[in-house]
């Protein structure tokens, strides 16, 4: 009775008989035989008789009690009385002409859905990396060019092979729509023109970062045009049904980058041993931080050699470096953006623009050029947050595998991790 339950748990047929079990230092070895009543001959439909057992085949199996295991299975051979051909018994444990159990293959497929590297999966089941790689290549993903998501279509850049690639995602289902090898306008345009005009017209809202490649592309998605009219169409063709929403995170990120470049430019004007240089070097986080979120708790400043609150420390920094104060006060322009007061936001930008340095002028000129799409970002409750979170997962997949030489395998791992549905199991207490 106990042996029967053991065979059922190991998903072995009752025709498989366990004979011996050996406990080794590194693994568990199970010896078994497979025998049953011979069927008719598959060649001549004649009667078969039992022949001798075949050479034991070594079958890797799943862990037993947390220890790797393998089965040495002896299969019964059958010989036909009429044609004298010998056949070998077939079991559902392994496929014909294969020595890896179906249970191990199934478990390998489950682990491929996670972010584990192929070498880690191979080590778990004592397989070769090429075996796991062949299992990965069995997955096939086809693009569905019939429909596009109606509510939102997120577009962003993905780092792949030290280059920027293009990735698009449905924000409602969090499924990846497509991954392209580069983010050139011609590549993206040719891909999305494979969709019908009705499918492209169904897109209502598009969220994206502030890349200059995407906004002219969205204008062209409405109707295909010839190459001669490409420049004219970018300026003339409008999208009344599609709203472009720029991610609010990238707007604040542009301001922080401009402030960082300004701080470094001012810092390089002083000697490295001077107080001004050390202040700008050590308290860069305090300069970049939102002044409304400064802590009221005091700390001991080794640079100033006294106990100060973060606000008092900032005042001392501005006293020693007064040219930094004008640029840091400009970061207050992001406050109306958080309050969704877009008129005050652009009003402050227009006032401060003539007196600013080059990094801030570039950032603020970009905001003015994309004023319509930044306004949509404040009015609509959409952002690129879900796509940025998936980018983090994709980077984890790449880092765990120490990079991918084959781009197709990298895409399959992304589709498996993000587009496959995983069944949730509820534990009954």
């Amino acid at each position: 009775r106990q042996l029967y339950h053991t065979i059922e748990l190991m998903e072995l047929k009752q025709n498989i008989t366990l004979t011996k079990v050996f406990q080794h230092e590194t693994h568990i070895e199970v010896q078994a035989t497979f025998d049953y009543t011979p069927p008719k001959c598959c060649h001549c439909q004649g009667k078969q008789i039992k022949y001798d057992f075949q050479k034991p085949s070594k079958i890797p199996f799943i862990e037993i009690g947390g220890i790797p295991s393998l089965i040495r299975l002896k299969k019964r051979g059958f010989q036909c009385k009429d044609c004298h051909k010998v056949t070998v018994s077939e079991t559902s444990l392994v496929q014909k002409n294969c020595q890896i159990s179906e249970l191990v293959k199934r478990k390998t497929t489950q682990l491929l859905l996670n972010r584990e590297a192929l070498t880690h999966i191979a080590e778990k089941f004592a397989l070769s990396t090429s075996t796991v790689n062949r299992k990965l290549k069995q997955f096939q993903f086809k693009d569905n060019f019939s429909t596009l998501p109606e509510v939102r279509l997120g577009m962003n850049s993905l780092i792949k092979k030290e280059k920027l690639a293009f990735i698009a995602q449905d924000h409602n289902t969090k499924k990846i729509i497509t991954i392209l090898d580069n983010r050139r306008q011609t590549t993206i345009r040719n891909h999305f023109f494979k969709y019908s005009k009705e499918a492209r017209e169904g897109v209502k809202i598009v969220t994206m970062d502030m890349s200059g490649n995407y906004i002219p592309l969205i204008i062209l998605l409405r109707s295909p045009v010839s190459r001669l009219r490409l420049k004219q169409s970018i300026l003339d063709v409008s999208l009344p049904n599609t709203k472009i929403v720029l991610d609010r995170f990238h707007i604040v990120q542009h301001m922080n980058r401009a402030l960082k470049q300004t701080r470094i430019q001012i810092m390089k004007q002083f000697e490295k041993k001077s107080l001004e240089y050390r202040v700008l070097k050590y308290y860069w986080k305090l300069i970049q931080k939102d002044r409304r979120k400064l802590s009221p708790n005091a700390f001991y400043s080794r640079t100033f050699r006294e106990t100060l609150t973060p606000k008092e420390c900032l005042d001392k920094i501005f006293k020693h470096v007064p040219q930094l104060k004008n640029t840091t006060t400009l970061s207050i322009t992001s406050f109306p953006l958080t309050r969704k007061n877009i008129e005050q936001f652009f009003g402050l930008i227009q006032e401060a623009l003539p007196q600013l340095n080059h990094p801030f002028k570039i950032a603020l000129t970009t905001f003015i050029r994309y004023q319509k799409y930044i306004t949509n970002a404040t009015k609509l409750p959409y952002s690129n947050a879900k796509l940025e979170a998936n980018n983090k997962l994709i980077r984890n997949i790449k880092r765990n595998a120490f990079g991918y030489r084959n781009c197709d395998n990298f895409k399959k791992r992304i589709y498996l991790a993000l587009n496959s549905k995983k069944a949730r199991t509820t534990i009954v207490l």
Side-chain angles (χ1 to χ4, degrees):
R1 187 72 179 174
Q2 292 179 353
L3 185 60
Y4 168 77
H5 289 308
T6 304
I7 293 174
E8 287 293 319
L9 286 174
M10 295 176 67
E11 295 191 8
L12 303 176
K13 280 189 173 182
Q14 295 185 14
N15 297 329
I16 296 179
T17 305
L18 304 181
T19 55
K20 292 181 181 179
V21 178
F22 297 98
Q23 178 77 43
H24 299 282
E25 294 182 358
T26 56
H27 65 280
I28 295 176
E29 180 181 337
V30 179
Q31 291 187 358
T33 57
F34 182 54
D35 191 7
Y36 57 88
T37 304
K40 290 184 179 181
C41 180
C42 59
H43 301 284
C44 63
Q45 299 299 319
K47 186 179 180 181
Q48 293 189 120
I49 59 173
K50 290 185 178 182
Y51 201 61
D52 58 350
F53 282 99
Q54 298 293 316
K55 181 181 178 182
S57 55
K58 187 172 107 176
I59 303 172
F61 203 66
I62 59 174
E63 294 182 347
I64 299 176
I67 302 174
S69 62
L70 65 90
I71 299 176
R72 292 194 180 272
L73 184 64
K74 286 185 177 181
K75 297 180 183 178
R76 169 70 75 177
F78 305 117
Q79 187 179 28
C80 180
K81 283 187 174 182
D82 298 332
C83 61
H84 302 286
K85 290 186 177 180
V86 178
T87 58
V88 182
S89 56
E90 297 181 6
T91 173
S92 61
L93 179 64
V94 290
Q95 292 181 356
K96 188 177 181 181
N97 302 325
C98 184
Q99 288 190 342
I100 300 175
S101 64
E102 290 297 309
L103 199 58
V104 171
K105 290 182 179 179
R106 197 188 316 160
K107 194 66 179 176
T108 304
T109 306
Q110 292 176 359
L111 293 179
L112 283 173
L113 300 179
N114 300 329
R115 298 186 293 274
E116 289 191 51
L118 300 184
T119 52
H120 298 165
I121 299 174
E123 288 176 1
K124 277 188 176 180
F125 302 109
L127 303 174
S128 64
T129 309
S130 59
T131 303
V132 184
N133 198 13
R134 282 197 301 270
K135 191 65 182 176
L136 177 64
K137 288 182 178 180
Q138 292 179 4
F139 291 97
Q140 299 294 332
F141 296 93
K142 296 182 180 180
D143 293 326
N144 183 13
F145 294 108
S146 59
T147 58
L148 278 171
E150 296 181 358
V151 180
R152 282 184 288 168
L153 173 66
M155 295 184 177
N156 207 338
S157 299
L158 169 69
I159 297 177
K160 188 175 69 172
K161 269 196 169 181
E162 307 302 330
K163 295 180 181 179
L164 288 176
F166 173 82
I167 181 171
Q169 178 192 23
D170 183 359
H171 280 236
N172 289 340
T173 60
K174 298 182 182 181
K175 286 188 175 181
I176 301 297
I177 298 173
T178 182
I179 299 174
L180 303 179
D181 293 335
N182 56 68
R183 60 172 191 169
R184 288 193 290 267
Q185 282 192 7
T186 53
T187 305
I188 304 172
R189 181 169 57 90
N190 293 338
H191 174 79
F192 279 100
F193 277 164
K194 294 178 183 178
Y195 293 90
S196 63
K197 185 179 178 181
E198 291 76 14
R200 285 183 270 119
E201 286 179 350
V203 180
K204 304 300 181 184
I205 295 170
V206 177
T207 63
M208 63 180 67
D209 56 10
M210 300 184 72
S211 174
N213 293 344
Y214 299 154
I215 294 176
L217 174 70
I218 297 302
I219 297 175
L220 289 175
L221 286 181
R222 177 64 57 170
S223 59
V225 293
S226 62
R227 293 184 181 179
L228 297 176
R229 296 184 55 199
L230 180 60
K231 293 183 179 179
Q232 182 183 357
S233 63
I234 291 177
L235 299 176
D236 296 342
V237 179
S238 61
L239 288 177
N241 296 336
T242 305
K243 292 184 179 180
I244 300 175
V245 178
L246 293 182
D247 191 24
R248 292 180 290 273
F249 167 76
H250 290 89
I251 300 172
V252 180
Q253 188 183 48
H254 272 64
M255 298 288 293
N256 290 336
R257 285 176 179 172
L259 180 59
K260 180 182 177 181
Q261 292 175 6
T262 304
R263 178 185 61 83
I264 293 174
Q265 288 179 1
I266 297 173
M267 185 179 66
K268 288 182 178 180
Q269 298 174 3
F270 300 100
E271 295 182 359
K272 291 188 176 181
K273 294 184 178 180
S274 62
L275 178 63
E276 292 82 0
Y277 184 92
R278 289 186 286 119
V279 162
L280 295 176
K281 181 76 172 177
Y282 297 148
Y283 295 109
W284 66 271
K285 287 185 179 180
L286 199 60
I287 296 171
Q288 297 279 146
K289 198 169 184 181
D290 189 350
R291 296 198 68 177
R292 298 172 301 172
K293 298 180 181 179
L294 292 177
S295 173
N297 300 327
F299 68 97
Y300 181 76
S301 173
R302 292 183 296 176
T303 307
F304 295 112
R305 296 182 180 179
E306 57 179 315
T307 303
L308 301 169
T309 61
K311 190 175 181 181
E312 293 173 350
C313 185
L314 267 181
D315 294 336
K316 278 188 168 291
I317 293 172
F318 295 151
K319 184 178 179 181
H320 287 82
V321 190
Q323 59 267 38
L324 185 66
K325 186 174 183 180
N326 297 329
T327 56
T328 52
T329 52
L330 183 65
S331 61
I332 302 175
T333 56
S334 60
F335 297 168
L337 185 65
T338 57
R339 298 171 188 160
K340 299 184 178 181
N341 191 347
I342 198 66
E343 296 179 356
Q344 184 184 0
F345 175 71
F346 284 102
L348 290 172
I349 288 178
Q350 293 288 355
E351 292 177 6
L353 190 60
Q355 299 121 17
L356 293 174
N357 57 357
H358 184 65
F360 269 104
K361 280 186 178 179
I362 292 176
L364 299 184
T365 306
T366 306
F367 294 163
I368 295 173
R369 186 166 68 251
Y370 296 149
Q371 181 175 356
K372 177 182 176 181
Y373 313 125
I374 294 175
T375 305
N376 292 338
T378 58
K379 292 182 179 179
L380 299 174
Y382 303 127
S383 68
N384 244 12
K386 294 181 180 179
L387 188 54
E388 295 290 346
N390 283 342
N391 274 350
K392 174 64 176 175
L393 296 178
I394 292 170
R395 291 189 186 97
N396 288 343
I397 293 172
K398 183 179 178 181
R399 186 177 65 250
N400 290 341
F402 294 97
Y404 282 85
R405 290 179 292 180
N406 192 333
C407 292
D408 293 335
N409 290 345
F410 187 33
K411 288 180 183 179
K412 285 182 179 180
R413 292 305 303 273
I414 295 172
Y415 285 131
L416 284 172
L418 299 178
N419 285 13
S420 58
K421 291 184 178 180
K422 300 177 183 178
R424 294 186 177 182
T425 57
T426 56
I427 300 175
V428 181
L429 299 180

